[in-house]
Amino acid sequence: MDGQPLRFDTKIAVILRDDLAPWQRLNVTSFLVSGLGSQVPEVIGAPYEDADGVAYLPMFRQPVLVFEATKEVLKAAHTRTLTRALPRSVFTADLFSTGNDTDNRAAVRAVPTADLDLVGLAVYGPRGGVDKVVKGARMHP
């Protein structure tokens, strides 16, 4: 490669609500991207190996862009994700009080789409479509 960054025609983006504590931002981001990695196989690259032949798990093949937004902008982004039918994962405020995967799913299932108290959203898709979804959000500092 000639030193120029590779430009992907797709994008992985995470939008976090701007009032989260630092530990919550990291936790939410981790959970959100795990959803994409498990269901959208094309986002995963090849496994890694160091010079001694020790194998490591594969990771995303492209950068994950992390944004922050107000509750209102996050809600609008969620709506745009749904209307574009893009692969997505959500994290709601209720999930901070659950302690396992079963309770997490039940907490999301208990709330109608329009009433979800979103604190994070991850989305994957064509670059232009994801750009439209994250409109109004700003890059995470």
Side-chain angles (χ1 to χ4, degrees):
M1 201 164 151
D2 62 6
Q4 294 295 324
L6 181 59
R7 182 169 165 91
F8 294 93
D9 59 353
T10 57
K11 189 178 272 189
I12 300 170
V14 172
I15 307 172
L16 302 171
R17 205 165 73 193
D18 61 3
D19 61 350
L20 298 179
W23 74 266
Q24 290 174 316
R25 291 171 186 246
L26 295 170
N27 184 266
V28 170
T29 299
S30 298
F31 272 96
L32 288 171
V33 297
S34 72
L36 292 177
S38 69
Q39 295 299 305
V40 187
E42 66 267 22
V43 301
I44 304 296
Y48 287 76
E49 184 177 297
D50 66 23
D52 294 323
V54 176
Y56 302 94
L57 294 173
M59 296 185 282
F60 289 130
R61 65 180 182 90
Q62 66 189 92
V64 175
L65 301 171
V66 181
F67 298 84
E68 67 175 7
T70 63
K71 184 175 188 171
E72 295 76 23
V73 170
L74 182 57
K75 186 174 186 73
H78 180 246
T79 299
R80 289 190 294 268
T81 301
L82 296 175
T83 60
R84 286 174 173 72
L86 295 171
R88 67 212 163 258
S89 53
V90 296
F91 197 104
T92 65
D94 296 331
L95 302 187
F96 290 127
S97 63
T98 58
N100 61 71
D101 191 47
T102 300
D103 291 341
N104 287 353
R105 285 194 311 282
V108 173
R109 182 177 296 278
V111 180
T113 304
D115 297 330
L116 290 171
D117 186 7
L118 297 170
V119 297
L121 169 72
V123 60
Y124 170 77
R127 183 176 203 76
V130 173
D131 287 343
K132 288 177 180 155
V133 165
V134 302
K135 184 179 180 183
R138 58 194 171 280
M139 288 297 292
H140 192 282

CSV table of all heavy atoms in Angstrom, one decimal, residues 71-124:
chain,number,residue,atom,x,y,z
A,71,LYS,N,-30.2,13.5,23.1
A,71,LYS,CA,-31.3,12.4,23.1
A,71,LYS,C,-32.2,12.6,21.9
A,71,LYS,O,-32.5,11.6,21.2
A,71,LYS,CB,-32.1,12.6,24.4
A,71,LYS,CG,-33.2,11.5,24.6
A,71,LYS,CD,-33.8,11.6,25.9
A,71,LYS,CE,-34.7,10.5,26.2
A,71,LYS,NZ,-35.3,10.4,27.5
A,72,GLU,N,-32.5,13.8,21.5
A,72,GLU,CA,-33.3,14.1,20.3
A,72,GLU,C,-32.7,13.7,19.0
A,72,GLU,O,-33.3,13.1,18.1
A,72,GLU,CB,-33.8,15.6,20.3
A,72,GLU,CG,-34.6,16.0,21.5
A,72,GLU,CD,-33.8,16.2,22.8
A,72,GLU,OE1,-32.6,16.4,22.8
A,72,GLU,OE2,-34.4,16.1,23.9
A,73,VAL,N,-31.4,14.0,18.9
A,73,VAL,CA,-30.7,13.7,17.6
A,73,VAL,C,-30.5,12.2,17.5
A,73,VAL,O,-30.7,11.6,16.5
A,73,VAL,CB,-29.3,14.4,17.6
A,73,VAL,CG1,-28.5,13.9,16.5
A,73,VAL,CG2,-29.5,15.9,17.4
A,74,LEU,N,-30.3,11.5,18.7
A,74,LEU,CA,-30.1,10.0,18.7
A,74,LEU,C,-31.5,9.4,18.3
A,74,LEU,O,-31.5,8.4,17.5
A,74,LEU,CB,-29.7,9.6,20.1
A,74,LEU,CG,-29.5,8.1,20.3
A,74,LEU,CD1,-28.5,7.5,19.3
A,74,LEU,CD2,-29.0,7.8,21.7
A,75,LYS,N,-32.6,9.9,18.8
A,75,LYS,CA,-33.9,9.4,18.4
A,75,LYS,C,-34.1,9.6,16.9
A,75,LYS,O,-34.6,8.6,16.2
A,75,LYS,CB,-35.0,10.1,19.2
A,75,LYS,CG,-36.4,9.5,19.0
A,75,LYS,CD,-37.3,10.1,20.0
A,75,LYS,CE,-38.7,9.5,19.9
A,75,LYS,NZ,-38.8,8.2,20.5
A,76,ALA,N,-33.8,10.7,16.4
A,76,ALA,CA,-33.9,11.0,14.9
A,76,ALA,C,-33.1,10.0,14.1
A,76,ALA,O,-33.5,9.5,13.1
A,76,ALA,CB,-33.6,12.4,14.6
A,77,ALA,N,-31.8,9.8,14.6
A,77,ALA,CA,-30.9,8.9,13.9
A,77,ALA,C,-31.5,7.4,13.9
A,77,ALA,O,-31.5,6.7,12.9
A,77,ALA,CB,-29.6,8.9,14.6
A,78,HIS,N,-32.1,7.0,15.0
A,78,HIS,CA,-32.8,5.7,15.1
A,78,HIS,C,-33.9,5.6,14.0
A,78,HIS,O,-34.0,4.6,13.3
A,78,HIS,CB,-33.3,5.5,16.5
A,78,HIS,CG,-34.0,4.2,16.7
A,78,HIS,ND1,-35.3,4.1,17.0
A,78,HIS,CD2,-33.5,2.9,16.7
A,78,HIS,CE1,-35.6,2.8,17.1
A,78,HIS,NE2,-34.6,2.1,16.9
A,79,THR,N,-34.7,6.6,13.9
A,79,THR,CA,-35.8,6.6,13.0
A,79,THR,C,-35.2,6.5,11.5
A,79,THR,O,-35.8,5.8,10.7
A,79,THR,CB,-36.6,7.9,13.1
A,79,THR,OG1,-37.2,7.9,14.4
A,79,THR,CG2,-37.7,8.0,12.1
A,80,ARG,N,-34.2,7.3,11.2
A,80,ARG,CA,-33.6,7.2,9.9
A,80,ARG,C,-33.0,5.9,9.6
A,80,ARG,O,-33.0,5.4,8.5
A,80,ARG,CB,-32.5,8.3,9.7
A,80,ARG,CG,-33.1,9.7,9.7
A,80,ARG,CD,-32.1,10.8,9.3
A,80,ARG,NE,-31.1,11.0,10.2
A,80,ARG,CZ,-31.1,11.9,11.2
A,80,ARG,NH1,-32.2,12.7,11.3
A,80,ARG,NH2,-30.1,12.1,12.0
A,81,THR,N,-32.4,5.2,10.6
A,81,THR,CA,-31.9,3.9,10.5
A,81,THR,C,-33.0,2.9,10.1
A,81,THR,O,-32.9,2.0,9.2
A,81,THR,CB,-31.2,3.4,11.8
A,81,THR,OG1,-30.2,4.3,12.1
A,81,THR,CG2,-30.6,2.0,11.6
A,82,LEU,N,-34.2,3.0,10.8
A,82,LEU,CA,-35.3,2.1,10.5
A,82,LEU,C,-35.8,2.4,9.1
A,82,LEU,O,-36.2,1.4,8.4
A,82,LEU,CB,-36.4,2.4,11.6
A,82,LEU,CG,-36.0,2.0,13.0
A,82,LEU,CD1,-37.2,2.4,13.9
A,82,LEU,CD2,-35.7,0.5,13.1
A,83,THR,N,-36.0,3.6,8.7
A,83,THR,CA,-36.6,3.9,7.4
A,83,THR,C,-35.6,3.4,6.3
A,83,THR,O,-36.1,3.1,5.2
A,83,THR,CB,-36.9,5.4,7.2
A,83,THR,OG1,-35.7,6.2,7.3
A,83,THR,CG2,-38.0,5.8,8.2
A,84,ARG,N,-34.3,3.3,6.5
A,84,ARG,CA,-33.4,2.9,5.5
A,84,ARG,C,-33.1,1.4,5.7
A,84,ARG,O,-32.4,0.8,4.9
A,84,ARG,CB,-32.1,3.6,5.7
A,84,ARG,CG,-32.2,5.1,5.2
A,84,ARG,CD,-30.9,5.9,5.4
A,84,ARG,NE,-31.0,7.1,4.8
A,84,ARG,CZ,-31.8,8.2,5.1
A,84,ARG,NH1,-32.5,8.0,6.2
A,84,ARG,NH2,-31.7,9.3,4.5
A,85,ALA,N,-33.7,0.7,6.6
A,85,ALA,CA,-33.6,-0.7,6.9
A,85,ALA,C,-32.1,-1.1,6.9
A,85,ALA,O,-31.7,-2.2,6.4
A,85,ALA,CB,-34.3,-1.5,5.8
A,86,LEU,N,-31.3,-0.3,7.6
A,86,LEU,CA,-29.9,-0.7,7.8
A,86,LEU,C,-29.7,-1.6,9.0
A,86,LEU,O,-30.4,-1.5,10.0
A,86,LEU,CB,-29.1,0.6,8.0
A,86,LEU,CG,-29.0,1.6,6.8
A,86,LEU,CD1,-28.4,2.9,7.2
A,86,LEU,CD2,-28.3,0.9,5.6
A,87,PRO,N,-28.7,-2.5,9.0
A,87,PRO,CA,-28.4,-3.3,10.1
A,87,PRO,C,-28.0,-2.4,11.3
A,87,PRO,O,-27.3,-1.4,11.1
A,87,PRO,CB,-27.1,-4.1,9.7
A,87,PRO,CG,-27.2,-4.1,8.2
A,87,PRO,CD,-27.8,-2.8,7.8
A,88,ARG,N,-28.6,-2.6,12.5
A,88,ARG,CA,-28.4,-1.8,13.6
A,88,ARG,C,-28.5,-2.5,14.9
A,88,ARG,O,-29.1,-3.6,15.0
A,88,ARG,CB,-29.5,-0.7,13.6
A,88,ARG,CG,-30.9,-1.3,13.9
A,88,ARG,CD,-32.0,-0.6,13.2
A,88,ARG,NE,-33.2,-1.4,13.1
A,88,ARG,CZ,-33.6,-2.1,12.0
A,88,ARG,NH1,-32.9,-2.0,10.9
A,88,ARG,NH2,-34.7,-2.8,12.0
A,89,SER,N,-27.9,-2.0,15.9
A,89,SER,CA,-28.1,-2.5,17.3
A,89,SER,C,-28.4,-1.3,18.2
A,89,SER,O,-28.0,-0.1,17.9
A,89,SER,CB,-26.9,-3.2,17.8
A,89,SER,OG,-25.7,-2.5,17.6
A,90,VAL,N,-29.2,-1.5,19.2
A,90,VAL,CA,-29.5,-0.5,20.2
A,90,VAL,C,-29.2,-0.8,21.6
A,90,VAL,O,-29.0,-2.0,21.9
A,90,VAL,CB,-31.1,-0.1,20.1
A,90,VAL,CG1,-31.5,0.4,18.7
A,90,VAL,CG2,-31.9,-1.3,20.5
A,91,PHE,N,-29.0,0.2,22.4
A,91,PHE,CA,-28.7,0.1,23.8
A,91,PHE,C,-29.6,1.1,24.5
A,91,PHE,O,-29.6,2.3,24.1
A,91,PHE,CB,-27.3,0.4,24.1
A,91,PHE,CG,-26.8,-0.1,25.5
A,91,PHE,CD1,-26.1,-1.3,25.6
A,91,PHE,CD2,-27.2,0.5,26.6
A,91,PHE,CE1,-25.6,-1.8,26.8
A,91,PHE,CE2,-26.8,0.1,27.9
A,91,PHE,CZ,-26.0,-1.1,28.0
A,92,THR,N,-30.5,0.7,25.4
A,92,THR,CA,-31.4,1.6,26.0
A,92,THR,C,-30.9,1.8,27.5
A,92,THR,O,-30.2,1.0,28.1
A,92,THR,CB,-32.8,1.0,26.0
A,92,THR,OG1,-32.9,-0.2,26.8
A,92,THR,CG2,-33.3,0.7,24.6
A,93,ALA,N,-31.4,2.9,28.1
A,93,ALA,CA,-31.1,3.2,29.5
A,93,ALA,C,-31.4,2.0,30.4
A,93,ALA,O,-30.7,1.8,31.4
A,93,ALA,CB,-31.7,4.5,29.9
A,94,ASP,N,-32.5,1.3,30.1
A,94,ASP,CA,-32.9,0.2,31.0
A,94,ASP,C,-31.8,-0.9,31.1
A,94,ASP,O,-31.8,-1.6,32.1
A,94,ASP,CB,-34.2,-0.5,30.4
A,94,ASP,CG,-35.4,0.5,30.4
A,94,ASP,OD1,-35.5,1.4,31.2
A,94,ASP,OD2,-36.2,0.3,29.5
A,95,LEU,N,-31.0,-1.0,30.1
A,95,LEU,CA,-30.0,-2.1,30.2
A,95,LEU,C,-28.9,-1.8,31.2
A,95,LEU,O,-28.2,-2.8,31.6
A,95,LEU,CB,-29.4,-2.3,28.8
A,95,LEU,CG,-30.3,-2.6,27.6
A,95,LEU,CD1,-29.6,-2.9,26.4
A,95,LEU,CD2,-31.3,-3.7,28.0
A,96,PHE,N,-28.8,-0.6,31.7
A,96,PHE,CA,-27.8,-0.3,32.8
A,96,PHE,C,-28.3,-1.0,34.1
A,96,PHE,O,-27.5,-1.2,35.0
A,96,PHE,CB,-27.6,1.2,33.0
A,96,PHE,CG,-26.9,1.8,31.9
A,96,PHE,CD1,-27.4,3.0,31.3
A,96,PHE,CD2,-25.7,1.4,31.5
A,96,PHE,CE1,-26.7,3.6,30.3
A,96,PHE,CE2,-24.9,2.0,30.5
A,96,PHE,CZ,-25.5,3.1,29.9
A,97,SER,N,-29.6,-1.4,34.2
A,97,SER,CA,-30.0,-1.9,35.5
A,97,SER,C,-30.3,-3.4,35.4
A,97,SER,O,-30.8,-4.1,36.3
A,97,SER,CB,-31.3,-1.2,35.9
A,97,SER,OG,-32.3,-1.4,34.9
A,98,THR,N,-30.0,-4.0,34.2
A,98,THR,CA,-30.2,-5.5,34.1
A,98,THR,C,-28.8,-6.1,34.2
A,98,THR,O,-27.8,-5.5,34.1
A,98,THR,CB,-30.8,-5.9,32.7
A,98,THR,OG1,-29.9,-5.3,31.7
A,98,THR,CG2,-32.2,-5.3,32.5
A,99,GLY,N,-28.8,-7.4,34.5
A,99,GLY,CA,-27.6,-8.1,34.8
A,99,GLY,C,-27.2,-9.3,33.9
A,99,GLY,O,-26.3,-10.0,34.1
A,100,ASN,N,-28.1,-9.5,32.9
A,100,ASN,CA,-27.8,-10.6,32.0
A,100,ASN,C,-28.5,-10.4,30.6
A,100,ASN,O,-29.4,-9.6,30.5
A,100,ASN,CB,-28.2,-11.9,32.6
A,100,ASN,CG,-29.7,-11.9,32.9
A,100,ASN,OD1,-30.5,-12.1,32.0
A,100,ASN,ND2,-30.1,-11.8,34.2
A,101,ASP,N,-28.1,-11.3,29.7
A,101,ASP,CA,-28.6,-11.1,28.3
A,101,ASP,C,-30.1,-11.4,28.2
A,101,ASP,O,-30.8,-10.7,27.5
A,101,ASP,CB,-27.9,-12.1,27.4
A,101,ASP,CG,-28.1,-11.9,26.0
A,101,ASP,OD1,-28.0,-10.8,25.5
A,101,ASP,OD2,-28.4,-12.9,25.3
A,102,THR,N,-30.7,-12.3,29.0
A,102,THR,CA,-32.1,-12.5,28.9
A,102,THR,C,-32.9,-11.3,29.4
A,102,THR,O,-33.8,-10.9,28.7
A,102,THR,CB,-32.4,-13.8,29.8
A,102,THR,OG1,-31.7,-14.9,29.3
A,102,THR,CG2,-33.9,-14.1,29.8
A,103,ASP,N,-32.5,-10.7,30.5
A,103,ASP,CA,-33.1,-9.5,31.0
A,103,ASP,C,-32.9,-8.3,30.1
A,103,ASP,O,-33.8,-7.5,29.9
A,103,ASP,CB,-32.7,-9.2,32.4
A,103,ASP,CG,-33.1,-10.2,33.5
A,103,ASP,OD1,-34.1,-11.0,33.2
A,103,ASP,OD2,-32.5,-10.2,34.5
A,104,ASN,N,-31.8,-8.3,29.4
A,104,ASN,CA,-31.5,-7.2,28.4
A,104,ASN,C,-32.6,-7.3,27.3
A,104,ASN,O,-33.2,-6.3,27.0
A,104,ASN,CB,-30.2,-7.3,27.8
A,104,ASN,CG,-29.1,-6.9,28.8
A,104,ASN,OD1,-29.3,-6.4,29.9
A,104,ASN,ND2,-27.8,-7.1,28.4
A,105,ARG,N,-32.7,-8.4,26.7
A,105,ARG,CA,-33.7,-8.6,25.6
A,105,ARG,C,-35.1,-8.3,26.1
A,105,ARG,O,-35.9,-7.7,25.4
A,105,ARG,CB,-33.6,-10.0,25.0
A,105,ARG,CG,-32.3,-10.1,24.1
A,105,ARG,CD,-32.3,-11.3,23.2
A,105,ARG,NE,-32.7,-12.5,23.9
A,105,ARG,CZ,-31.8,-13.3,24.7
A,105,ARG,NH1,-30.6,-12.8,24.8
A,105,ARG,NH2,-32.2,-14.4,25.2
A,106,ALA,N,-35.5,-8.8,27.3
A,106,ALA,CA,-36.8,-8.5,27.8
A,106,ALA,C,-37.1,-7.0,28.0
A,106,ALA,O,-38.2,-6.5,27.8
A,106,ALA,CB,-37.0,-9.3,29.1
A,107,ALA,N,-36.0,-6.3,28.5
A,107,ALA,CA,-36.2,-4.9,28.7
A,107,ALA,C,-36.4,-4.1,27.4
A,107,ALA,O,-37.3,-3.2,27.4
A,107,ALA,CB,-34.9,-4.3,29.4
A,108,VAL,N,-35.8,-4.5,26.4
A,108,VAL,CA,-36.0,-3.8,25.1
A,108,VAL,C,-37.4,-4.2,24.5
A,108,VAL,O,-38.1,-3.4,24.1
A,108,VAL,CB,-34.9,-4.2,24.1
A,108,VAL,CG1,-35.2,-3.6,22.7
A,108,VAL,CG2,-33.6,-3.6,24.6
A,109,ARG,N,-37.7,-5.5,24.6
A,109,ARG,CA,-39.0,-6.0,24.1
A,109,ARG,C,-40.2,-5.4,24.8
A,109,ARG,O,-41.3,-5.2,24.2
A,109,ARG,CB,-39.1,-7.5,24.2
A,109,ARG,CG,-40.4,-8.1,23.7
A,109,ARG,CD,-40.4,-9.6,23.7
A,109,ARG,NE,-39.4,-10.2,22.9
A,109,ARG,CZ,-39.5,-10.4,21.6
A,109,ARG,NH1,-40.6,-10.0,20.9
A,109,ARG,NH2,-38.6,-11.0,20.9
A,110,ALA,N,-40.0,-4.9,26.0
A,110,ALA,CA,-41.2,-4.4,26.8
A,110,ALA,C,-41.6,-3.0,26.4
A,110,ALA,O,-42.6,-2.5,26.8
A,110,ALA,CB,-40.8,-4.4,28.3
A,111,VAL,N,-40.8,-2.3,25.5
A,111,VAL,CA,-41.0,-0.9,25.2
A,111,VAL,C,-41.2,-0.8,23.7
A,111,VAL,O,-40.5,-1.3,22.9
A,111,VAL,CB,-39.7,-0.1,25.6
A,111,VAL,CG1,-39.9,1.4,25.3
A,111,VAL,CG2,-39.4,-0.3,27.1
A,112,PRO,N,-42.3,-0.1,23.4
A,112,PRO,CA,-42.6,0.2,21.9
A,112,PRO,C,-41.4,1.0,21.3
A,112,PRO,O,-40.8,1.8,22.0
A,112,PRO,CB,-43.9,1.0,21.9
A,112,PRO,CG,-44.5,0.8,23.3
A,112,PRO,CD,-43.4,0.5,24.2
A,113,THR,N,-41.2,0.8,20.0
A,113,THR,CA,-40.1,1.5,19.3
A,113,THR,C,-40.0,2.9,19.6
A,113,THR,O,-39.0,3.5,19.9
A,113,THR,CB,-40.2,1.2,17.8
A,113,THR,OG1,-40.3,-0.2,17.6
A,113,THR,CG2,-39.0,1.8,17.0
A,114,ALA,N,-41.1,3.6,19.5
A,114,ALA,CA,-41.1,5.1,19.6
A,114,ALA,C,-40.8,5.5,21.0
A,114,ALA,O,-40.4,6.7,21.3
A,114,ALA,CB,-42.5,5.6,19.2
A,115,ASP,N,-40.9,4.6,22.0
A,115,ASP,CA,-40.7,5.0,23.4
A,115,ASP,C,-39.3,4.5,24.0
A,115,ASP,O,-39.1,4.7,25.2
A,115,ASP,CB,-41.8,4.4,24.3
A,115,ASP,CG,-43.2,5.0,23.9
A,115,ASP,OD1,-43.2,6.2,23.5
A,115,ASP,OD2,-44.2,4.3,24.1
A,116,LEU,N,-38.5,3.9,23.1
A,116,LEU,CA,-37.2,3.4,23.6
A,116,LEU,C,-36.4,4.6,24.1
A,116,LEU,O,-36.3,5.6,23.5
A,116,LEU,CB,-36.5,2.7,22.5
A,116,LEU,CG,-37.0,1.4,22.0
A,116,LEU,CD1,-36.3,0.9,20.8
A,116,LEU,CD2,-36.9,0.3,23.1
A,117,ASP,N,-35.8,4.4,25.3
A,117,ASP,CA,-35.0,5.4,25.9
A,117,ASP,C,-33.5,5.1,25.5
A,117,ASP,O,-32.7,4.6,26.2
A,117,ASP,CB,-35.1,5.4,27.5
A,117,ASP,CG,-34.3,6.5,28.1
A,117,ASP,OD1,-33.8,7.4,27.4
A,117,ASP,OD2,-34.2,6.5,29.4
A,118,LEU,N,-33.2,5.5,24.2
A,118,LEU,CA,-32.0,5.2,23.6
A,118,LEU,C,-30.8,5.9,24.3
A,118,LEU,O,-30.9,7.1,24.5
A,118,LEU,CB,-32.0,5.5,22.1
A,118,LEU,CG,-33.0,4.7,21.3
A,118,LEU,CD1,-33.1,5.3,19.9
A,118,LEU,CD2,-32.6,3.2,21.3
A,119,VAL,N,-29.7,5.2,24.5
A,119,VAL,CA,-28.5,5.8,24.9
A,119,VAL,C,-27.4,5.5,23.9
A,119,VAL,O,-26.3,6.1,23.9
A,119,VAL,CB,-28.0,5.4,26.3
A,119,VAL,CG1,-29.0,5.8,27.4
A,119,VAL,CG2,-27.7,3.9,26.4
A,120,GLY,N,-27.6,4.6,23.0
A,120,GLY,CA,-26.7,4.3,22.0
A,120,GLY,C,-27.3,3.5,20.8
A,120,GLY,O,-28.3,2.8,21.0
A,121,LEU,N,-26.6,3.7,19.7
A,121,LEU,CA,-27.1,3.1,18.4
A,121,LEU,C,-25.9,2.8,17.6
A,121,LEU,O,-25.0,3.7,17.5
A,121,LEU,CB,-28.0,4.1,17.7
A,121,LEU,CG,-28.4,3.8,16.2
A,121,LEU,CD1,-29.4,2.6,16.2
A,121,LEU,CD2,-29.0,5.0,15.6
A,122,ALA,N,-25.8,1.6,17.0
A,122,ALA,CA,-24.7,1.3,16.0
A,122,ALA,C,-25.4,1.0,14.7
A,122,ALA,O,-26.5,0.4,14.7
A,122,ALA,CB,-23.9,0.1,16.5
A,123,VAL,N,-24.8,1.4,13.6
A,123,VAL,CA,-25.4,1.2,12.3
A,123,VAL,C,-24.2,0.8,11.3
A,123,VAL,O,-23.1,1.3,11.4
A,123,VAL,CB,-26.2,2.4,11.9
A,123,VAL,CG1,-25.3,3.6,11.8
A,123,VAL,CG2,-26.9,2.1,10.6
A,124,TYR,N,-24.6,0.0,10.3
A,124,TYR,CA,-23.6,-0.3,9.3
A,124,TYR,C,-24.4,-0.2,8.0
A,124,TYR,O,-25.6,-0.6,7.9
A,124,TYR,CB,-23.1,-1.8,9.5
A,124,TYR,CG,-22.4,-2.3,8.3
A,124,TYR,CD1,-21.1,-1.9,8.1
A,124,TYR,CD2,-22.9,-3.2,7.4
A,124,TYR,CE1,-20.3,-2.3,7.0
A,124,TYR,CE2,-22.2,-3.6,6.3
A,124,TYR,CZ,-20.9,-3.2,6.1
A,124,TYR,OH,-20.2,-3.6,5.0
